[in-house]
Amino acid sequence: MHRRSRGVNIGLLLLLSQIFQVGINNVPPVTLATLALNIWFFLNPLKPLLSSCLSVEKCYQQKDWQRLLLSPIHHADDWHLYFNMASMLWKGIHLERRLGSRWFAYIIVTFSLLTGVVYLFLEFALAEFLNEPDFKRNCAIGFSGVLFALKVLNNHCCPGGFVNVLGFPVSNRFACWVELLAIHFISPGTSFAGHLAGILVGLMYTHGPLKKIMESCTGIFPSNIDYPGQQYYFNSSGYSGYQDYYPYGGRGAYEDVPRNYDMYTAGLSEEEQLERALRASLLDQAHGLSMPLSPVLHYFLEFV
């Protein structure tokens, strides 16, 4: 884990530019609140990083359980924040509109806590199985574990598709596993156990009992409420945004005249429109700063 550097936070500036490019009013409320919360605690951390990161030694053995809450919302540096929150922006817009804001908030809180618990279990199991106590001292921080869980959920919602990982098409079914290995090939200092914990939590929700357990714990959060009143569009200039729409035409009147949106969408699905818009914006921002793209940024652009 790296210490946060002083000076201009280029990653934070790129993130803010990305959010404004999409439009604050076009980001669903829970996604926007998650972005704002992580940015706030990056600028105003509650505790130093070494007092916020998650490890078996600190959390289990020393009973410092508050780290389960602090770890996901703190980041090591501005680029760590940028890559996580730029990914959250895309996943959040798509999933929150699909699942509804209240259920998506429930998912974010549950995934954040459960990913930390699974991470502790994995590190403890490795330490005991390999008889290597250093695993208990591995300290992880950041939102990326939750993002891996959301990626599993997102791929489950859009089965049969493909994503590019390092230039190779990979089925959504295996994308998370390939990306898990690819990230640690490109940046070996990241937390393999933390990312793996996120994948396992996502699988517990999509193929295990977690969703039913969550539904049984509350009866007030329906999981099928769409984000109302907006539809994503993308035009040939590369600008992304939303336009207001009403599924029954106007404000309450049924509209039976079919519309041709191809001039706005170029025939792309909503996911493809948003992915292309974010990728174009990332490239524009990087070229505008007259800085070469790092290998990590190239990789991020391949499968964000």
Side-chain angles (χ1 to χ4, degrees):
M1 185 174 57
H2 303 287
R3 290 185 177 274
R4 186 175 302 169
S5 59
R6 297 180 179 273
V8 179
N9 293 314
I10 300 298
L12 177 59
L13 295 178
L14 279 176
L15 175 60
L16 294 175
S17 176
Q18 191 72 49
I19 295 172
F20 284 107
Q21 177 81 5
V22 173
I24 292 180
N25 293 331
N26 299 323
V27 182
V30 175
T31 300
L32 186 61
T34 302
L35 297 173
L37 187 68
N38 278 269
I39 292 173
W40 173 262
F41 283 118
F42 173 76
L43 297 174
N44 304 278
L46 288 176
K47 290 186 175 183
L49 294 181
L50 291 177
S51 299
S52 302
C53 62
L54 192 63
S55 71
V56 175
E57 181 182 66
K58 298 295 184 181
C59 204
Y60 177 71
Q61 295 178 339
Q62 299 182 14
K63 310 301 181 184
D64 191 4
W65 294 108
Q66 64 178 334
R67 291 171 181 261
L68 283 170
L69 301 174
L70 296 177
S71 176
I73 55 176
H74 287 78
H75 291 81
D77 54 42
D78 56 321
W79 287 109
H80 188 204
L81 175 75
Y82 170 71
F83 286 122
N84 279 353
M85 291 301 102
S87 180
M88 176 62 199
L89 178 62
W90 179 78
K91 293 179 178 68
I93 289 175
H94 178 242
L95 288 173
E96 186 171 347
R97 291 178 65 234
R98 191 182 191 96
L99 302 174
S101 294
R102 290 180 295 175
W103 186 261
F104 186 64
Y106 190 21
I107 285 176
I108 290 293
V109 173
T110 303
F111 282 10
S112 296
L113 293 174
L114 197 54
T115 298
V117 172
V118 174
Y119 166 78
L120 292 176
F121 174 81
L122 290 175
E123 293 285 21
F124 181 83
L126 286 171
E128 294 296 318
F129 181 76
L130 299 176
N131 194 25
E132 180 52 68
D134 284 345
F135 283 107
K136 296 182 180 180
R137 290 189 283 269
N138 286 345
C139 219
I141 199 166
F143 203 72
S144 53
V146 181
L147 292 173
F148 265 88
L150 293 178
K151 180 174 282 291
V152 172
L153 176 56
N154 184 65
N155 291 343
H156 179 75
C157 292
C158 303
F162 288 83
V163 295
N164 287 324
V165 181
L166 298 179
F168 297 97
V170 178
S171 170
N172 278 348
R173 183 179 179 183
F174 307 107
C176 289
W177 299 104
V178 176
E179 291 168 9
L180 174 67
L181 298 176
I183 284 179
H184 294 279
F185 172 77
I186 294 174
S187 183
T190 54
S191 174
F192 184 88
H195 295 166
L196 177 59
I199 292 178
L200 295 178
V201 170
L203 291 174
M204 289 168 60
Y205 183 91
T206 57
H207 295 89
L210 179 57
K211 183 179 179 181
K212 291 183 178 180
I213 294 174
M214 291 173 62
E215 290 172 341
S216 67
C217 290
T218 176
I220 62 172
F221 293 146
S223 61
N224 58 350
I225 300 178
D226 292 329
Y227 186 62
Q230 292 180 325
Q231 177 171 324
Y232 187 81
Y233 72 91
F234 177 87
N235 61 31
S236 58
S237 67
Y239 176 74
S240 60
Y242 287 84
Q243 61 183 8
D244 290 334
Y245 88 110
Y246 301 91
Y248 301 105
R251 293 181 181 268
Y254 179 74
E255 182 181 15
D256 58 0
V257 179
R259 289 186 175 182
N260 180 10
Y261 289 101
D262 285 347
M263 63 180 294
Y264 298 107
T265 66
L268 300 174
S269 68
E270 291 184 5
E271 292 79 12
E272 292 170 329
Q273 297 164 35
L274 184 53
E275 180 180 356
R276 180 176 293 187
L278 291 180
R279 183 181 292 122
S281 177
L282 286 169
L283 289 171
D284 289 343
Q285 295 300 327
H287 292 318
L289 291 170
S290 299
M291 56 184 292
L293 293 178
S294 67
V296 176
L297 183 52
H298 271 296
Y299 168 67
F300 178 80
L301 293 176
E302 286 293 330
F303 70 90
V304 64

